[in-house]
């Protein structure tokens, strides 16, 4: 028979055992890798690409594709390659093709002139009335200039006159416009239009001046 002292000792040991078991259970629940939830990969959501060309970077020549556009008149049809997506609100002898953002443009004037390309370069330079006009070059029938538009900021223009008779007169004017940082792309668009330009050779000379 256990004495009261022995009974008290057994109760104390039993309490300690229960405590150890309970502590072990707590460790088992919270044990293992405490960072399991954080080890799962976190997905990074990237913004969806925009279909509108960025206005921050310059016009990239290698990103352009071209399509043939027909204009001029029934008696004097003209065609040239224009970047895909650039649209003109008018046809005829003076179509102007704009990209969807309105930043870049390509304009043709097929009316011709009795003046030489170099003479037209000088006339155009004198006629431009834009803020902070700076002419960068005026050689070989090509006028390159920059200015500041009051709503669109810094702009650049390149105008080229095409002669079909050795430089005596001008048949077509091609002008591209954009921003100064677009210069490489604008030159590419202009050169592509020149290379693909098809103009009929008229027997008579009906140029306006």
């Amino acid at each position: 028979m256990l004495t009261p002292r022995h009974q008290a000792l057994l109760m104390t040991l039993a309490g300690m055992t229960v405590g150890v078991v309970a502590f072990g259970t707590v460790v088992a629940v919270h044990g293992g890798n405490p960072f399991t939830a954080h080890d799962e990969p976190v997905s990074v959501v990237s913004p969806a690409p925009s279909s509108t060309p960025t206005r921050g970077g310059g016009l990239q020549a290698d990103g352009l594709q071209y399509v043939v556009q027909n204009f001029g008149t029934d008696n004097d049809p003209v065609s040239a390659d224009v970047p895909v997506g650039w649209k003109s609100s008018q046809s005829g002898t003076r179509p102007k093709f704009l990209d969807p953002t309105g930043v870049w443009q390509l304009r043709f004037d097929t009316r011709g002139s009795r003046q030489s390309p170099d003479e037209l370069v000088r006339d155009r330079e004198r006629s431009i009335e834009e803020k902070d006009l700076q002419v960068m070059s005026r050689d070989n029938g090509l006028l390159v200039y920059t200015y500041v538009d009051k709503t669109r900021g810094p702009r650049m223009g390149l105008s080229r006159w095409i002669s079909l008779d050795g430089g005596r007169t001008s048949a077509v004017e091609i002008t591209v416009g954009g921003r100064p940082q677009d210069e490489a792309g604008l030159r590419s668009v202009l050169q592509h239009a020149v290379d693909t330009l098809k103009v009929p050779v008229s027997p008579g000379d009906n140029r306006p001046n």
Side-chain angles (χ1 to χ4, degrees):
M1 178 177 291
L2 298 176
T3 65
R5 180 180 178 183
H6 288 160
Q7 291 177 354
L9 180 60
L10 289 175
M11 291 179 65
T12 301
L13 292 174
M16 292 177 62
T17 302
V18 171
V20 170
V21 173
F23 179 76
T25 303
V26 172
V27 172
V29 171
H30 294 284
N33 185 359
F35 303 104
T36 300
H38 300 284
D39 287 343
E40 296 179 0
V42 178
S43 61
V44 178
V45 179
S46 300
S50 172
S51 59
T52 302
T54 176
R55 292 172 179 264
L59 179 63
Q60 300 299 313
D62 55 2
L64 292 171
Q65 296 180 336
Y66 293 87
V67 63
V68 177
Q69 293 285 354
N70 298 296
F71 42 93
T73 65
D74 292 338
N75 294 329
D76 293 303
V78 180
S79 68
D81 283 4
V82 172
V84 171
W86 293 26
K87 303 294 184 182
S88 178
S89 59
Q90 62 185 30
S91 57
T93 60
R94 302 183 69 189
K96 181 172 69 174
F97 298 88
L98 297 172
D99 83 285
T101 68
V103 175
W104 309 299
Q105 67 178 39
L106 169 61
R107 180 173 58 83
F108 297 87
D109 188 340
T110 66
R111 295 174 299 173
S113 171
R114 292 191 179 93
Q115 292 180 277
S116 70
D118 289 338
E119 290 173 333
L120 290 172
V121 164
R122 292 192 295 270
D123 288 349
R124 177 62 57 81
E125 179 182 351
R126 289 193 292 264
S127 68
I128 298 176
E129 297 181 355
E130 298 287 355
K131 181 181 177 182
D132 296 333
L133 175 66
Q134 293 186 0
V135 175
M136 301 176 63
S137 65
R138 55 174 73 84
D139 300 324
N140 300 319
L142 174 63
L143 177 66
V144 182
Y145 54 94
T146 61
Y147 62 95
V148 176
D149 184 88
K150 62 181 180 180
T151 57
R152 295 181 293 176
R155 300 288 294 174
M156 168 173 275
L158 298 88
S159 295
R160 173 78 181 272
W161 283 267
I162 310 299
S163 176
L164 302 178
D165 56 8
R168 293 191 299 274
T169 62
S170 302
V172 179
E173 175 199 339
I174 306 176
T175 295
V176 292
R179 306 159 303 178
Q181 63 263 38
D182 300 319
E183 181 176 358
L186 293 175
R187 286 183 178 274
S188 179
V189 172
L190 177 60
Q191 188 60 53
H192 198 89
V194 171
D195 292 342
T196 59
L197 181 68
K198 293 183 179 179
V199 181
V201 179
S202 302
D205 187 355
N206 56 359
R207 296 175 180 84
N209 53 53

